[in-house]
Amino acid sequence: MFAGLLKKMQTRGITILGIETSCDDTSAAVIRNGFLLSNVLANQDVHRRYGGVIPELASRAHQQHIIPVVHRALDEAGVQPQSLDAIAFTRGPGLLGSLLVGNAFAKGLALATGAALVEVNHLQGHVLSHFINEQLTMNNEQCSAPRFPFLCLLVSGGHTQIIVVRSHFDFEVIGHTIDDAAGEAFDKCAKVLGLPYPGGPVIDRLAAQGDAAAFRFAKPRAGGLNYSFSGLKTSFLYFVRDQLAANPRFIDERRADLCAALQQTIIDILLENIVRAVAQTGITEVAVAGGVSANSGLRRRLVDESARRGWTAYLPALRFTTDNAAMIAIAGYHKFLHGRTTTLDAAPFAST
Ligand code: KG4
Ligand code: ZN
């Protein structure tokens, strides 16, 4: 670490503002020396009635939210914009129109304040959410962060990957989905059942009252450590359609059982490749990250499998599973410490 940075850390601390606008959540967070001071999030209800995110509406809502959200994050942290050392922003992947709002705002604020700019890959942010420290948990209650190297199952609405994480910056993707992401499987099947978007949390809630053994669905294999979820979605859709033809009240009568069986199937598929990945790499530190890692069934199952197989499981705090700026700020903090800053000409990118 540079001598100047070390001195700063010891005196007033390194303060980072994180900005996340990759999809439909506008979020800003402040982190000082790795500790979270604030994390503000504005959801966009506007998409609910369409059953999915409408990109143009998302970018317009980001424009409305970005200033008040950043303002509140700085205010709650008790930080003046001029005392920021760096502004970390999600450069991609995500929706271009949404990313543009956060990218442009971060650059403008960096120019105005003289803070450094640090670009963060959204997926790296999800993985590094495990390294967010909170003041509340300092009294020996701090959730321990995974030790390098660890495996991370990254499961969100846009991605499903198994990653070997060797350092804060050294990531190797050893498995990925060849079609839909796990979150998409939850959301699309929820739509079949007439449930609101995003369907993952609703299925999670309903599954708690259902019987997971009531139905069986296809578990498509994609080869190696890869995943495939589109076949599951299709088999779920056809099954429900056929049952409805015989009994128009089928969904109403069996909603909880359908959710429980579907959730169980998705978790089985996810865990099967984790077992293989552990066998293949010999790494037994296993973390999960991303929106689907909020799923109570997946969290329980990972803890159970870990206890049974001698792995160590790492679950992110629920508030850091779905999109948030705290994960962007912590990733930005580690990049800044290593001098990985960005220039003003960095353009957002939509896909990996
Ligand atoms: O990470 P995230 O907020 O956004 C992306 O980067 O995609 O993930 C959103 C996804 C959605 O598909 C949502 O349905 C899913 O995470 N999700 C869940 C749960 N909470 C959020 N899926 C299953 N169970 C949950 N409790
Ligand atoms: Zn995400």
Side-chain angles (χ1 to χ4, degrees), residues 20 22 122-123 126 156-157 290-291 321-323 327:
E20 157 63 34
S22 68
H122 182 78
L123 308 183
H126 272 303
S156 70
T321 54
T322 46
D323 291 348
M327 70 186 196

Side-chain angles (χ1 to χ4, degrees), residues 59-323:
S59 73
R60 276 192 233 169
H62 283 304
Q63 288 173 43
Q64 285 162 359
H65 292 158
I66 189 87
I67 292 175
V69 163
V70 169
H71 202 274
R72 227 182 93 200
L74 291 171
D75 212 40
E76 283 183 15
V79 166
Q80 295 297 321
Q82 287 72 19
S83 58
L84 290 171
D85 292 289
I87 298 166
F89 65 99
T90 307
R91 183 173 171 190
L95 301 171
L96 260 191
S98 293
L99 289 164
L100 268 169
V101 177
N103 278 230
F105 188 88
K107 287 171 189 171
L109 194 58
L111 269 178
T113 58
L117 260 183
V118 180
E119 68 180 67
V120 172
N121 180 298
H122 182 78
L123 308 183
Q124 185 185 19
H126 272 303
V127 175
L128 296 186
S129 62
H130 283 277
F131 296 89
I132 300 167
N133 296 303
E134 292 185 274
Q135 304 286 358
L136 278 178
T137 55
M138 275 181 78
N139 300 328
N140 294 333
E141 291 169 21
Q142 183 67 58
C143 294
S144 59
R147 284 168 304 182
F148 300 118
F150 64 91
L151 290 175
C152 187
L153 173 66
L154 172 58
V155 268
S156 70
H159 295 85
T160 300
Q161 299 182 340
I162 301 177
I163 307 169
V164 178
V165 186
R166 297 197 176 85
S167 78
H168 292 111
F169 314 114
D170 183 356
F171 287 31
E172 183 190 354
V173 178
I174 58 172
H176 61 91
T177 180
I178 58 166
D179 41 54
D180 289 349
E184 268 178 294
F186 272 107
D187 295 341
K188 288 178 177 173
C189 292
K191 207 167 179 178
V192 171
L193 298 180
L195 300 173
Y197 176 86
V202 188
I203 289 185
D204 191 357
R205 226 170 24 249
L206 288 167
Q209 297 134 38
D211 173 11
F215 307 109
R216 291 186 93 78
F217 302 113
K219 285 189 203 159
R221 295 283 331 270
L225 297 176
N226 289 339
Y227 290 110
S228 166
F229 285 102
S230 71
L232 167 63
K233 175 195 65 192
T234 312
S235 93
F236 185 79
L237 175 69
Y238 288 172
F239 175 75
V240 171
R241 189 195 59 186
D242 293 349
Q243 296 297 318
L244 278 176
N247 170 13
R249 293 194 43 77
F250 175 68
I251 291 180
D252 289 337
E253 288 168 6
R254 307 298 300 274
R255 190 174 278 113
D257 289 343
L258 284 164
C259 289
L262 174 72
Q263 178 169 300
Q264 179 75 41
T265 308
I266 294 174
I267 294 171
D268 284 348
I269 295 171
L270 290 173
L271 260 294
E272 268 173 29
N273 278 5
I274 291 296
V275 171
R276 284 193 194 96
V278 170
Q280 200 169 299
T281 60
I283 298 171
T284 54
E285 303 262 308
V286 183
V288 272
V292 179
S293 71
N295 186 267
S296 59
L298 176 60
R299 294 170 81 89
R300 228 180 0 255
R301 180 75 175 280
L302 184 65
V303 169
D304 291 349
E305 291 284 342
S306 298
R308 213 159 59 80
R309 296 174 185 271
W311 308 342
T312 310
Y314 296 92
L315 306 173
L318 280 179
R319 60 195 166 283
F320 303 136
T321 54
T322 46
D323 291 348

